[in-house]
Amino acid sequence: MRIKKFFFPIILLIIFLGVIVLGMAAGYWETKGDGCRHRTESQIPNLALVQTLDISESGESPWQP
Amino acid sequence: MATMRKTRPTQSRAQRLKIVTLRRFIQSAFVGFALYVGTRHLWTESASLDAYCPLGGVEALFQFITNGVFLRKLHPSNMVVLAATLATALLMGRAFCGWICPLGAVQEWLARLAQKITGGRRKGWLPLKLPAALDRPLRYLKYGVLGWLLWGSVSAVVPPLEPFCPYKTLFHFELDSALAWSVLFIILAGSLLVERFWCKYLCPLGALLAIFNKISPLRVHTADACVDCGRCGTTCGMGINERSENIRSLECIRCLDCLDACRRPEAIDIRAF
């Protein structure tokens, strides 16, 4: 099916802006930190911390033979 | 003279209007919007440019799906813009790159400036066309950048590209990072030498959208009337010389400059399916 060349940008803008407007209407448009959880340094698994916890849970200290 | 008029194909008024004029208008509007958002954020506590970037959505995707959290500086709006970009890509391939991306527009303007400075469309020696032996492997770099970005986003706290993102440095006036300015300078200087340097060789979003070029139903189509004059290939900013029936090149950004360049209106058009 042949499409007139001037319809191409119209279709493009309708889809692009249309999805954004739909996202806004659905309440997903948040452009600031309020309301969404951000990843912080403390959320990264800390291997050293995990190892320490494992040792303490076993009740044995590596420093006392 | 009369004979020439008879042989030249007739063009309607709509066909005589250049699609590139409309494209430049739309690109300017998106560049203006990016500058507005970037400048506004400098003076007020409004949303930053990061919140409007579809690539931010790509960077945030893994963490959002697995943990329900966003990388720092990214927001739900990035997902909405990414969804909008992917929706256009599903139907029209890399049209986002050719019509909407502000960084792509700036690169095009730089290439035109370089062309004018060096003597215009016919005599100008800039932008350069790299030899195929160099150009073709370099184009695969962007898929590597996309892979690195996706891999990095798995364990990242801030978006992996954020420290030196040229889009952000340019429109957000990030003056504090030497690395960011160096990367931007290389890309802008590269765009003077090679048209759409970033899009061709490095853009991870372009790499992602390129995949859709193979499946999108709306594409440039050449008909039997094509006489292989090569005008479309000469005009193409992405350096595509493909003249197959349906142009499915991963590099095609659907800018439609080839439609304007063609002197036979029936030889090249846009087809759906």
Side-chain angles (χ1 to χ4, degrees):
Chain A
M1 186 175 69
R2 194 174 172 165
I3 308 273
K4 286 197 173 179
K5 66 179 180 181
F6 285 100
F7 285 149
F8 188 88
I10 294 168
I11 298 168
L12 176 71
L13 289 178
I14 286 173
I15 294 172
F16 185 73
L17 299 176
V19 173
I20 289 175
V21 169
L22 278 176
M24 285 174 168
Y28 291 115
W29 191 260
E30 276 181 51
T31 55
K32 287 191 188 179
D34 314 82
C36 65
R37 290 195 305 134
H38 281 96
R39 184 161 189 180
T40 56
E41 299 283 357
S42 60
Q43 283 174 304
I44 300 173
N46 187 326
L47 284 178
L49 186 65
V50 171
Q51 279 176 347
T52 314
L53 283 173
D54 287 346
I55 291 162
S56 60
E57 276 171 12
S58 68
E60 292 173 7
S61 169
W63 310 113
Q64 291 174 348
Chain B
M1 189 73 185
T3 336
M4 272 182 74
R5 270 185 195 158
K6 272 180 191 171
T7 51
R8 188 171 286 177
T10 53
Q11 289 187 329
S12 68
R13 193 180 170 195
Q15 282 166 336
R16 280 198 302 274
L17 286 170
K18 296 269 183 189
I19 193 91
V20 72
T21 313
L22 179 61
R23 192 167 70 85
R24 282 180 190 150
F25 175 76
I26 292 171
Q27 283 179 314
S28 305
F30 280 100
V31 168
F33 178 74
L35 281 171
Y36 165 70
V37 172
T39 321
R40 189 184 59 167
H41 185 66
L42 289 176
W43 312 116
T44 63
E45 286 188 6
S46 57
S48 75
L49 204 60
D50 300 281
Y52 299 90
C53 178
L55 191 61
V58 178
E59 290 172 299
L61 200 61
F62 181 83
Q63 301 271 345
F64 179 67
I65 291 170
T66 53
N67 304 321
V69 294
F70 284 92
L71 300 183
R72 226 178 264 167
K73 301 189 177 187
L74 300 180
H75 309 281
S77 60
N78 291 103
M79 293 300 177
V80 177
V81 182
L82 176 64
T85 309
L86 292 179
T88 62
L90 268 173
L91 192 67
M92 312 164 122
R94 280 180 78 176
F96 174 89
C97 309
W99 292 79
I100 296 173
C101 179
L103 191 57
V106 170
Q107 288 177 86
E108 264 189 44
W109 296 344
L110 284 173
R112 279 173 58 208
L113 178 73
Q115 194 179 52
K116 277 190 179 171
I117 289 171
T118 55
R121 188 172 287 181
R122 291 191 178 173
K123 291 181 184 172
W125 54 273
L126 282 178
L128 301 169
K129 296 229 168 181
L130 294 185
L134 181 64
D135 179 69
R136 196 165 285 179
L138 281 177
R139 291 195 191 230
Y140 288 103
L141 271 177
K142 59 179 174 288
Y143 301 101
V145 176
L146 176 65
W148 164 78
L149 193 93
L150 291 172
W151 179 253
S153 69
V154 170
S155 59
V157 174
V158 292
L161 202 65
E162 203 271 339
F164 48 87
C165 175
Y167 162 73
K168 195 181 168 190
T169 316
L170 182 63
F171 295 108
H172 222 303
F173 313 107
E174 295 265 327
L175 300 162
D176 51 345
S177 164
L179 174 68
W181 272 106
S182 309
V183 171
L184 179 66
F185 175 78
I186 291 167
I187 287 160
L188 296 184
S191 305
L192 284 167
L193 299 172
V194 180
E195 191 167 351
R196 283 188 175 258
F197 175 80
W198 169 255
C199 312
K200 276 180 188 166
Y201 306 128
L202 294 167
C203 180
L205 185 64
L208 178 70
L209 300 182
I211 300 160
F212 291 90
N213 271 12
K214 293 286 177 193
I215 54 166
S216 62
L218 253 73
R219 61 174 69 94
V220 177
H221 174 269
T222 51
D224 293 338
C226 175
V227 291
D228 274 352
C229 67
R231 284 177 68 91
C232 50
T234 315
T235 315
C236 183
M238 293 299 283
I240 303 167
N241 278 316
E242 187 181 335
R243 280 189 290 282
S244 59
E245 191 182 326
N246 285 310
I247 296 170
R248 288 172 188 262
S249 167
L250 292 170
E251 302 299 321
C252 179
I253 54 168
R254 311 285 202 258
C255 64
L256 311 185
D257 284 2
C258 49
L259 268 77
D260 274 347
C262 187
R263 287 198 172 163
R264 290 171 165 257
E266 71 282 5
I268 188 163
D269 55 20
I270 307 160
R271 294 273 170 102
F273 302 102

